[in-house]
Amino acid sequence: MKQTKKQIVVRAYTPIAKPHNVSIQKNSTMLLLGEISYESGSKAFNTKLYYIKGVRGMLRHAAMSLAQDCGIEVCHSSEKTELKDGTQLVPSGFHPLGSCDPPCILRRIFGTFREESSISVLVDPIASIKHKEYTTELPAQKVHIATENRIALTYDRTAIQDFRESYFSGYFNFVIDITNLTDDEIKFIVESLLYIETLGSGKNAGYGYIKILEVEIQNVHVLRNITMDNGVYKIIEEIEVKPILLENIEEWRNAYMRENLIKIEQQHST
């Protein structure tokens, strides 16, 4: 079986982030996946594996900020315009999710609650691994993970509201599958990466700041075969990765990005 796809590999760093932790008593929403084993030298070790939640949402909000900065009206994250008390949910520069006809660039890329997204965002799980050199059968990104028991409210020196929060710090990668995007939409996603600032909650306390370090756009060719090994059929996968160079991307983003994005949307609407 042969497969060809396009993807963006993003390398990022955070000094401390708590992705989508909430103040649920003695609980944390940083998703614990279980334990994995790894080897360092001749010794085996166990560690817990976690999933970083909210990376796709982080990218979507960055794309919304880019569109707003360019003066392009795009979908907001809400389908409703206001609450029963009259509170407006959709700020100026946006329209309710899925209400645009033809679809705006944000809807074409990220979809809606009822429409499938044109991209997928993949993040390998993270783990606290203390050793510099290690091997493991399962993909795991090496970061530092910490858990804190916090007291938010006390009465007469007795804790009446306490909860647990999880944090991580270090370098991590995520992959954006862009196989179904046009060149202009790919450029829009690449530019959106420059608008990424935070992941998760706690921004006012200094948590969640993200620094994008490297971006690589790739063409990936995958060839899978089945072979017999001691009576067991095994899947052998050959992967060939080639870089994709977008034409005039520097000119597009530095001098004409805003003007071209408006033209793209005008052409799409006609």
Side-chain angles (χ1 to χ4, degrees), residues 14-30:
T14 178
I16 179 171
K18 50 176 185 176
H20 289 263
N21 284 274
V22 294
S23 301
I24 301 176
Q25 189 172 5
K26 296 183 179 179
N27 195 12
S28 166
T29 58
M30 188 158 133

Side-chain angles (χ1 to χ4, degrees), residues 119-130:
I119 66 169
S120 58
V121 181
L122 311 173
V123 190
D124 281 339
I126 58 175
S128 281
I129 298 176
K130 298 179 181 179

